[in-house]
Amino acid sequence: QVQLVESGGGLVQPGGSLRLSCAVSGISGIAVRISNMGWYRQAPGKQRELVATITSSGSINYTDSVKGRFTISRDKDKNTVSLQMNTLKPEDTAIYYCNTASARWIWGQGTQVTVSS
């Protein structure tokens, strides 16, 4: 069974930065490498939204609200996906999750990101 473990969240002031990491286990490395991966977030009282995706070939897309501030990357050898978040805003406050771009796997616990002064 696939396990997704997100880490790197925390409390940061507006304008600050965080780097999130997602470790994928319980599945072959090949299966991870061929999967299109994504970072999602869910703010209190809101639906979960997809904020960034990276395909197996490295093509990347972002939702408009994070373009120019967030950078998604992946390490295929380590089965990890990262999200570098810069110039954070209070509206970025949410629990952040990783999954395939189609949300095919069971969700992990996520990592809380709080942007507040």
Side-chain angles (χ1 to χ4, degrees), residues 28-30 32-35 54-58 73-81:
S28 71
I30 292 175
V32 178
R33 285 193 291 271
I34 66 173
S35 296
I54 183 168
T55 69
S56 58
S57 61
S73 61
R74 66 191 301 168
D75 185 330
K76 293 183 178 180
D77 292 332
K78 296 181 180 179
N79 289 352
T80 59
V81 183

Side-chain angles (χ1 to χ4, degrees), residues 78-94:
K78 296 181 180 179
N79 289 352
T80 59
V81 183
S82 298
L83 186 69
Q84 176 67 41
M85 306 187 297
N86 299 326
T87 319
L88 283 161
K89 303 176 181 180
E91 51 264 42
D92 295 318
T93 295

Side-chain angles (χ1 to χ4, degrees), residues 50-111:
L50 180 60
V51 298
T53 59
I54 183 168
T55 69
S56 58
S57 61
S59 295
I60 291 172
N61 278 289
Y62 301 98
T63 192
D64 287 346
S65 61
V66 308
K67 283 181 180 177
R69 301 188 298 120
F70 289 12
T71 302
I72 188 171
S73 61
R74 66 191 301 168
D75 185 330
K76 293 183 178 180
D77 292 332
K78 296 181 180 179
N79 289 352
T80 59
V81 183
S82 298
L83 186 69
Q84 176 67 41
M85 306 187 297
N86 299 326
T87 319
L88 283 161
K89 303 176 181 180
E91 51 264 42
D92 295 318
T93 295
I95 300 175
Y96 284 72
Y97 304 86
C98 69
N99 207 317
T100 66
S102 60
R104 186 169 72 245
W105 296 329
I106 295 174
W107 295 98
Q109 295 296 311
T111 185

